[in-house]
Each structure stands twice: as C-alpha cells, then as structure tokens.
DNA sequence: ATTTCAGTTTGTGTATACAATAATGGAAAT
DNA sequence: ATTTCCATTATTGTATACACAAACTGAAAT
C-alpha cells in the first residue's frame, strides 16, 4: 500500500526561504496587486510550503495583515482576502480625500522650492504618459507625484497613513484608463502645485480634495457595476 | 544544590487563562491606560505566565499591536511600548481634527433628529460634569458625545479610524483639567450640534476642526514640557 | 429524491522544543 | 580603574507536535 506524500502535492512554486517580515510584504503585494483575489482563502500550510517555512511565521503575517484590514479572520475558520463593498470604497476615498487635502495644505505651508520643482517634474511625467496613452506609466508617475507631496508635509504620521490608504485603494484607481482622464488629472495636479507654490493653503487643500473626489466617483461607478453583475469576485475560486 | 523554580519567580498575578483575542484587548488597554509605560519592554514569557498561556498567542498579540503602531518591534530585540514625540502627537491631532471634521460634515448631511437629540444629551452630561468639576465624568461624556457623532456619519470606515486614533490620543486629552476648559469644550460642542441640526456642513466641519485643534494645542504644551524635563518616561524601567 | 446524522478529514489554535541572536558579566590586558 | 574580549545566559525566531473545531462525505431513513 502506497502512502501519498502530501508535501509533494501541496508544494507549488516554493520560493526561497524567506523571513516573516518579507512574508507580510509579499502577501500584501499579492492582495493589492490582485494575485490574491477578494474572497480567496489563505491556507496556512500552502503558504508555509510556498515560502519554505513553517506555519508559525505565516500565521504572524496573516494576523498582521488582518490588523491592517486587508484580510478577515474568523475563528477556527481561516483567513480570507477582504471584499470591499462599493459603499466602503466610497467611504475610504472620502477619508483619503481629506488626508490628501490636509497634505496639500501643509505642503503650501512648508514645501521648499526644490520639492515643488520635484513635484512639477513628476507631474510632467504624468503629462508625457497621458500623451502617449500609457496607463501604467501614468499611474506610476501619479504615485510619485503624490509621494512627493506627502514627503513635503513634514508629517511622517500623515504621510504614512495617507500612503497606506492610497495603496489600499490603488486597485480602484486603475479606473483611469482614457487619455482624457489622464489629461484632466494632470491639469488638476497643476492647479494644486500652483496653489502650493503661492502658499495658498485653502486653495491647495480644496483643489486636492476635489481631485481625489473625481477619481473616487469613477471608482465607485466601476465597483457598483461589478457588484450588479452576477456573482462578485468571491465566486472566482 | 537547589535549583530555583523560574516559573514561580516569573509568575505574577496570573489571570485566568485567556484567549489570544482578549490578550490584544488587555494589552491595548494597559498601554493606552498607562499601566504599561512608554519605553517599557514587553517580555513574552512573563506575559505568557500572566495570561496562563504559552508564548505563541502572546506573540501574535504583540505583532498585532505593532501593526497598530502601539508598540515597536526590533528583530531579535523584543518589543517596547512606543514613545511618541511631541511632534508626532501634534501630527496625529491634526489628522484627528481632519477626520472628526469630516465626520461632523457627514453628520450635518445624514443625522436623524433622534441622533441629534442623543448628541445633545451627551453634551448635557459634559456640562454637568464641568459644573461639578468631575474630570473623569467629563472625559467619559465627551467620548460618548464624539461616538454619537461618529455613528451619525453612516461611514463605518471613518468611524472606526477616527475612534482608533482618538483612543490612541486619549492619554493626551487628559490635559483638560480645569472646569473652565470643560465649559468651553461644552460650548464648542453646542456650536457643532447647532450647525449639524441646521444642516450647515461647512460650519459643522470648521467648528469641529477648531474644537479638536484647541485640545491639540494644550496637549502639545504638556508633552513639550514633559520632554524638556530631565529624562523622559523611557528611563522609568 | 431529500434530509439527517455519524465518521472522517482537513485546517486552525495552542503548547512545547529547538535554533539563532543579542544582552550580560567577568577575566585579562593596558 | 578602564576597556576589550570572550563565554555564558537570556530571549527571541522558527519548527514541530498535539488538541480541537469546522467542513465534507456518504449511507441510512423518510
């Protein structure tokens, strides 16, 4: 009688052995990048095999991701990638708009000329990407632009929180697909930079808030459409 | 030759055996309540003894608290309660002001009459506490007031995040000690409620923002004074 | 055919054991 | 007396083992 070696069955890619800290990073990237789809189950043993470690560090990574709201743990029933409703996405964008708005205000107060030039450069990158219709390049340049502003706040806490929420919503920001939208984003960026360089806090804050709200609106439409369609992503297992 | 039983030495109160989820709660309360002081080291084995469990669930609790920013983990060097600088406290209050401001705006848009009455009642509690100079009662009523507003937003995400940050800063809000400050807080609350019940979003948001900023100002003074004094709390081990 | 229930199996929760790394303390050298 | 270095100790990081709860399966009963 032959006993089947379970380890062989479960083993997949089996990345090189990796520390617990990296596991958090990798899983987070997988979730935010869409490799792990909403509703998907995270099996501790499979992940342990994949990373060539025991379940212990995997468990710790899972708990940490749960604390950050990316996954949901139900006692004795495992962890699943969290599925956001359209309403939640809208709520989160509202908060993001507020945080980024505050950031813009602080930038108007504290940014150096060098930093403002840096922001302009990143927005020029946005323009180039928009002109060639390169969505990936645009999103990258867009992220870089926002990062420059967050650094310009001189508030590590605000920068960290806003960046975290921004990353969390990154998937929903991919709604920007048409060159037209990229162009108008670029224009909004320019208005924000102008206000910052003039030190007009109120204007900078308002401009940033509406900029984020515009994106939120498109994102909400997409998510609502997805929800209306048959079974959501959770059925894709 | 006598071997000393280490377990006996390490054992302290030894609370009844408690699940891993509760451990997070208890440790969080200890940190925010001041039982565990900033800079203090968290020894896994001691905590395991205290909760009558093994190190495993304690470790998971620690990782979770670290994800929430309450403690700091340095690889192979254990976990310590995080010590905030005055600058960080100010930054966090700025974000809190923004979040609560947004909450007030949403309340003006969405709150029912019943909820507004509830908020008024909680603010009346604040007034009573202020008149008798009861600081503990005031802080409690104050928390209740803010909670009502957070519920009134209809945004679970905003409510959760604002509440979390508020809890995190609770220790620094104890700067409100003089009945005079309590009275002015009460008055600010009233202005906020008035704006909400009139549906004046902008006014409500602005009023709430300045309300939080006032507290932030006092808190910053205290923290700065503490930092100026000799060695900070981290030396208290 | 459908439902119910027990046996099995899978997977999580916790405990214990072992490995690796940083803190500690004391001896030797200056 | 002070400093440097090494050995010891303590504590964290990871692996393994066991306990227990939830899910799955299939047969029996209606």
């Amino acid at each position: 009688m032959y006993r089947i070696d379970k380890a062989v069955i479960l083993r997949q890619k089996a990345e090189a052995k990796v520390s617990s800290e990296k596991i958090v990073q990798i899983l987070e990237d997988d979730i935010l990048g869409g490799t792990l789809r909403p509703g998907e189950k995270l099996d501790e043993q499979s992940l342990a095999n994949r990373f060539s470690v025991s379940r212990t560090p995997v468990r710790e990574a899972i708990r940490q991701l749960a604390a950050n709201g990316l996954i949901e743990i139900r006692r004795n029933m495992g962890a699943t990638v969290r599925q956001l409703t359209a309403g939640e996405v809208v709520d989160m964008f509202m908060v993001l708009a507020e945080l980024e708005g505050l950031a813009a205000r602080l930038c108007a107060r504290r940014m150096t000329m060098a930093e403002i030039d840096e922001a302009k450069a990143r927005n020029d990158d946005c323009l180039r990407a928009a002109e060639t219709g390169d969505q990936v390049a645009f999103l990258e340049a867009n992220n870089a632009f926002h990062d420059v502003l967050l650094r310009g706040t001189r508030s590590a806490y605000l920068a960290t929180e806003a960046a975290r929420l921004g990353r969390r919503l990154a998937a929903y920001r991919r709604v920007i697909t048409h060159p037209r939208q990229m162009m108008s984003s670029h224009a909004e960026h320019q208005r924000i930079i102008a206000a910052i360089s003039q030190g007009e806090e109120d204007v900078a804050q308002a401009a940033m808030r509406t900029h984020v709200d515009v994106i939120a609106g498109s994102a909400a439409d997409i998510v609502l459409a997805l929800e209306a369609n048959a079974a959501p992503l959770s059925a894709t297992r």
Side-chain angles (χ1 to χ4, degrees), chain A:
Chain A
M1 186 189 201
Y2 304 97
R3 283 196 64 251
I4 297 174
D5 187 351
K6 194 164 139 198
V8 168
I9 294 178
L10 290 175
R11 174 165 306 134
Q12 28 199 38
K13 291 175 283 184
E15 313 184 2
K17 185 164 179 172
V18 85
S19 74
S20 72
E21 295 156 9
K22 302 269 177 183
I23 294 175
V24 176
Q25 277 294 329
I26 295 174
L27 288 181
E28 187 174 314
D29 289 346
D30 281 356
I31 293 172
L32 296 176
T35 306
L36 286 170
R37 309 266 284 277
E40 196 161 346
K41 199 150 181 299
L42 297 181
D43 182 71
E44 296 179 356
Q45 189 60 58
S46 309
L47 291 173
N49 293 338
R50 170 177 162 196
F51 296 121
S52 306
V53 295
S54 78
R55 277 177 53 217
T56 310
V58 171
R59 278 182 66 82
E60 294 187 345
I62 287 177
R63 302 310 256 250
Q64 206 162 331
L65 292 172
N68 283 347
L70 273 84
I71 65 182
E72 198 173 7
I73 296 178
R74 275 139 58 205
R75 193 181 165 82
N76 284 320
M77 290 172 66
T80 54
V81 178
R82 184 109 184 282
Q83 170 82 284
L84 296 181
T85 67
E88 285 173 309
V89 171
V90 170
D91 289 347
M92 292 168 80
F93 266 112
M94 284 185 70
V95 171
L96 182 62
E98 217 63 24
L99 295 182
E100 295 259 18
L102 174 59
R105 171 181 289 278
L106 293 178
C107 284
R109 199 180 297 168
R110 302 171 175 171
M111 245 185 171
T112 64
M113 277 306 288
E115 286 173 320
I116 291 175
D117 288 342
E118 171 76 9
K120 279 180 185 160
R122 296 292 77 76
N123 195 31
D124 289 347
D125 295 343
C126 286
L127 178 60
R128 261 188 294 281
E131 284 170 345
T132 59
D134 186 339
Q135 194 202 356
V136 174
F138 178 85
L139 287 172
E140 199 167 331
N142 184 64
N143 283 340
F145 172 78
H146 283 273
D147 279 350
V148 171
L149 292 201
L150 290 182
R151 273 199 300 280
T153 62
R154 303 286 184 280
S155 166
Y157 179 75
L158 173 59
T160 305
E161 290 299 306
R164 195 159 63 109
L165 184 50
R167 257 178 77 78
R168 183 104 173 69
L169 292 172
Y172 302 94
R173 254 187 283 139
R174 302 227 183 84
V175 295
I176 300 183
T177 54
H178 290 323
R180 211 172 0 199
Q181 293 171 300
M182 300 189 205
M183 290 302 289
S184 64
S185 263
H186 166 77
E188 288 162 13
H189 289 173
Q190 273 203 313
R191 270 195 291 279
I192 294 165
I193 294 178
I196 288 174
S197 66
Q198 306 271 321
E200 294 172 333
E201 297 186 13
D202 293 339
V203 178
Q205 180 166 21
M208 176 62 93
R209 207 171 353 206
T210 57
H211 170 55
V212 177
D213 281 340
V214 167
I215 296 163
S218 316
D221 289 345
I222 305 287
V223 180
L224 275 171
L226 279 177
E227 283 183 2
N229 282 3
L233 297 172
S234 57
T236 324
R237 63 150 305 182

